[in-house]
Amino acid sequence: MITDIFDRDQVAAHVVSHPERFCRVPAVLAAQWAYLKLRRGQPVRFDRLGEPAYLIDRPEASPLAVDLAERSPRISAAVARRKAQFLPPEQWPTP
């Protein structure tokens, strides 16, 4: 747990040790990794680094989020139909 938000060493260690949380922005991982290497006195030569040997997949959407995305249009349409029952005829939505 990060105790001091301004302690860059702790922030960098947290980012590097939790790649699944930062997989959407690989540059953040690379920058924090390079920072930690330089703090240890190890040079970083980006021109000699190859492509990553592995890929971090994005986390899958939760089943609840998928279900909500599928149901949302139907729920909105049902609510609109229900609300239309209480409107005067001139304000009824056209199908």
Side-chain angles (χ1 to χ4, degrees), residues 76-95:
S76 297
V79 169
R81 284 192 306 272
R82 179 77 175 152
K83 285 174 66 176
Q85 292 177 354
F86 300 104
L87 294 174
E90 60 272 3
Q91 291 182 359
W92 286 354
T94 56

Side-chain angles (χ1 to χ4, degrees), residues 8 11-19 21-36 46:
R8 183 157 180 202
V11 171
H14 177 75
V15 169
V16 172
S17 62
H18 296 90
R21 294 184 184 174
F22 301 94
C23 66
R24 289 189 173 93
V25 189
V28 170
L29 283 169
Q32 299 306 323
W33 171 79
Y35 172 77
L36 291 175
F46 287 103

Side-chain angles (χ1 to χ4, degrees), residues 16-75:
V16 172
S17 62
H18 296 90
E20 70 280 359
R21 294 184 184 174
F22 301 94
C23 66
R24 289 189 173 93
V25 189
V28 170
L29 283 169
Q32 299 306 323
W33 171 79
Y35 172 77
L36 291 175
K37 293 271 292 176
L38 291 172
R39 289 283 292 164
R40 296 177 104 187
Q42 301 170 343
V44 177
R45 301 252 337 249
F46 287 103
D47 58 331
R48 297 191 69 197
L49 290 177
E51 291 296 318
Y54 63 92
L55 296 175
I56 300 173
D57 292 331
R58 291 183 179 193
E60 293 182 19
S62 72
L64 182 61
V66 172
D67 186 44
L68 180 62
E70 290 173 356
R71 291 180 187 218
S72 177
R74 291 183 303 186
I75 293 171

